[in-house]
Amino acid sequence: MKLGIVGLPNVGKSTLFNSMTLGKAEAANYPFCTIDPNVGIVTVPDERLTKLTELYQSAKTVPAVIEFVDIAGLVKGASKGEGLGNKFLSHIREVDAIVHVVRCFEDTNVVHVDGGIDPIRDIETINIELIFSDLEILERRIAKTTKSAKADKSLQKELEILEILKAGLEEGKCARAIHFDSPEDIAFVESLTLLTQKPVLYAANVAEEDLADDAANNPHVARVREFAAAENSEVFVLCAKIEEEISDLDEADKKEFLADLGVESSGLERLISASYKLLGLISYLTAGPTETRAWTITKGTKAPGAAGKIHSDFERGFIRAEVVSYDDLIRLGSYTAAKEQGLVRSEGKEYVVKDGDVILFRFNV
């Protein structure tokens, strides 16, 4: 999974990236400090892996990972090449989802590129630039499809969808907020790879005192939540400054620090949870003496497709999947005990893998 961290200059974007990835993106109090995207790999915390490693005495533990890309700040006119807009737009095309950091705290010592705190204005500034970019793509596609549809009437439906998207974007809507009913229509829209079609997580960057109650009384965050709900996006609250402070602590000290603030989980943990939910992802597990590993798949994936995450040979030569739930395996203490209790199931090609399944694939090529 590849997530792009975006936001206007000085909203806490690079500070957040640094704290989550222990990266070295320069974070300074002026626009365009981040010129090229910085990339960091973050492991997904999963206590199940620790317990399975102990159970199997695995030589290696391999967690799932998320790749974060810190993308250069954006200003009005980016779609026309202002600021670092062209670089921004090219880098954002490569990510699976966008983490849009919006500033929801007041601090006279940190300048805002537009002079004051208004998270909805900030969101719309970036959205408008992405919309302009998408409109250029749609206009070219409409011109081409209109010409082809004269000879091929089957393209008329595609042309209708393109026109609906164009009209919505011209009204200031993002493509993800324009709804289509049929799976075929949805698949066609997704094939266009529009920037405003990408799923978005809004990261509301708040002051330390707003963390304990999840910013329940912060009016800026309330507006972001209302905006996100209208387009089926996710919002999570964090304090980039706190994330930076705890980034060098070990797990025990980190939990103690957060507990003192009245917070149960770090911003990174909340970001990972929200991104999995937004993208419809789950993890299944494999375990043995050699290694214990988490594999990230889309919810609804059938056994052969899940096997293909390990190797294409596993999918091509799939015979069956021997499946036991993580909870049953840990409760009984061994694979053998789970098998004796009839809790290890032999599943075929139509089995839909569930989060926390511990799987051994049988295949033949």
Side-chain angles (χ1 to χ4, degrees), residues 1 44-46 48 63-66 272-285 293-303 305-306 309 323 351-359:
M1 178 163 53
V44 176
D46 193 335
R48 299 174 300 189
V65 297
I66 295 177
I272 290 171
S273 176
S275 61
Y276 267 62
K277 180 181 177 183
L278 180 70
L279 295 173
L281 302 176
I282 61 172
S283 292
Y284 77 87
L285 313 164
R293 183 187 289 245
W295 303 88
T296 302
I297 58 173
T298 304
K299 193 179 296 183
T301 299
K302 293 182 180 179
K309 292 289 289 186
V323 184
Y351 176 69
V352 176
V353 175
K354 298 178 180 62
D355 186 67
D357 278 349
V358 182
I359 305 179

Side-chain angles (χ1 to χ4, degrees), residues 1 8 51 84 144 190 220 256 329 363:
M1 178 163 53
L8 290 174
K51 292 185 178 179
L84 300 167
K144 182 180 177 182
E190 289 175 351
H220 298 309
E256 184 178 348
L329 184 57
F363 69 102

Side-chain angles (χ1 to χ4, degrees), residues 229-267:
E231 60 174 31
N232 295 317
S233 294
E234 294 283 326
V235 179
F236 71 102
V237 172
L238 59 84
C239 174
K241 187 177 179 183
I242 292 298
E243 294 300 312
E244 188 174 42
E245 289 180 19
I246 67 174
S247 61
D248 289 325
L249 301 179
D250 61 32
E251 282 305 310
D253 289 342
K254 190 179 295 185
K255 287 183 178 179
E256 184 178 348
F257 187 101
L258 292 172
D260 288 343
L261 293 174
V263 180
E264 291 183 1
S265 57
S266 70

Side-chain angles (χ1 to χ4, degrees), residues 325-339:
S325 83
Y326 167 81
D327 290 335
D328 287 338
L329 184 57
I330 295 301
R331 177 172 56 83
L332 294 171
S334 74
Y335 186 84
T336 301
K339 200 165 188 177

